[in-house]
Every structure is written in C-alpha cells, then in structure tokens.
Amino acid sequence: MIGTKHVLAMICVPFRGKTPSQVMLSLQHTKNQITPRIIDDYKQNHITAELNYLSMDIEVVFYDNDIDYRTPHLISEDDHSLFCLGMGISNVMSNVDYIVFGYDWEKSRGCLVECITAWSYGKRIFAYTDNKIIKDFDAFKYAVEKLNSIKNPEEKI
C-alpha cells in the first residue's frame, strides 16, 4: 500500500432559522451520505491504473469552518450573513477540492452564491436537490435559476 490521499471537502447547508444542533445533524447526515460518492468521483477522475494497483486509500476530510459567526456583533442580520458568506468562501472554499450542498441548500441565498462561486472557480460540486444529487455545471445552472427567480433582493429564502 502506498498511503492515504486526503481529499478535502466543504459542506454548505442553510443556517437561518435552525438551532446549532439542527445544523450539526444536517452536516453529519450529509457527510454520511456523500463520502462514498466523493471517493468514487475522486478515483474516477484522479487515480491512475498504477495508483489503483498499489491500493491507495482515499479519505474524505471535511474542512470545518472555525469562524466565530458571532464576531460582528454590531451589524445587521443580513450584513452578518454576508460576512459569514465571505469568510466561508475565503477561509474554507479556497482550500478544498469538493463543495457539497446539503438538503434545502436551494432555499438559502448564501448557498446559491457559494454554488455559483464554487463552479466559477473550478471546484467539484455535489448538491442534493429533489431527492437526487446533481453535480458540477447542473448544480451551477440550478443555482443561477433559483437566484434569478428572486424578485425582490430583500426576500428571505
């Protein structure tokens, strides 16, 4: 055996209206469901016959965002959401290979923007939508369509 390849991934789920325990449960459920798919995708796209023969192990490491989301105490809720979105993109997305969008991601403006950003910068994408998983450009198109359907930027989705 030649070792273990660590593939880094980020999970995006909506936070608005959820308790921390609900968010953690959603993150754990998504990790459990998506890990085998990421491994298969990575092997299919990156592992040569030689490395496969030598039995390289693949481990998915989910990059935990250690940003203190309470940091900007003096800004509005929407500005706080925008702050967190920017921190997630700059601190986490820039360091991972895969971006995974968990259940109900399409109901979050932040997740939609993260999806468009991920695709625009060449990240691999998995997104749960209507009880199926869509990938890469299909997820990007879906996110663009959802954002275009918002009539009022103040609308809470």
Side-chain angles (χ1 to χ4, degrees):
M1 172 140 20
I2 63 171
T4 301
K5 168 64 179 168
H6 292 102
V7 178
L8 298 176
M10 163 186 183
I11 299 177
C12 303
V13 295
F15 282 60
R16 185 184 300 268
K18 294 184 178 180
T19 65
S21 61
Q22 289 172 319
V23 171
M24 293 305 294
L25 187 62
S26 178
L27 290 170
Q28 189 57 52
H29 178 72
T30 303
K31 285 179 186 179
N32 293 342
Q33 296 294 316
I34 205 65
T35 297
R37 290 179 185 262
I38 290 175
I39 292 170
D40 289 345
D41 185 79
Y42 188 85
K43 285 181 179 178
Q44 186 176 36
N45 291 295
H46 297 285
I47 301 297
T48 65
E50 179 182 0
L51 289 177
N52 201 22
Y53 174 75
L54 295 171
S55 300
M56 175 182 270
D57 282 337
I58 310 278
E59 180 182 349
V60 179
V61 176
F62 290 93
Y63 199 109
D64 288 327
N65 190 346
D66 60 357
I67 298 167
D68 182 354
Y69 290 105
R70 299 163 303 198
T71 301
H73 297 289
L74 302 175
I75 60 178
S76 71
E77 181 180 339
D78 280 342
D79 288 342
H80 183 256
S81 296
L82 188 58
F83 170 83
C84 294
L85 173 66
M87 293 299 286
I89 290 170
S90 65
N91 288 355
V92 182
M93 189 182 292
S94 61
N95 293 304
V96 299
D97 307 300
Y98 287 85
I99 314 295
V100 179
F101 295 90
Y103 295 100
D104 291 335
W105 72 279
E106 70 277 2
K107 296 176 182 174
S108 164
R109 287 178 298 172
C111 288
L112 294 170
V113 170
E114 286 174 319
C115 184
I116 292 168
T117 303
W119 185 84
S120 298
Y121 284 89
K123 301 294 182 175
R124 300 287 296 176
I125 300 170
F126 285 94
Y128 287 93
T129 305
D130 300 324
N131 295 321
K132 63 181 179 180
I133 295 178
I134 57 177
K135 292 172 51 179
D136 300 324
F137 186 67
D138 289 334
F140 167 77
K141 287 190 314 186
Y142 188 84
V144 169
E145 290 169 6
K146 284 292 193 179
L147 278 175
N148 281 335
S149 72
I150 299 172
K151 304 291 185 229
N152 177 359
E154 298 296 317
E155 182 180 339
K156 303 284 189 222
I157 64 167

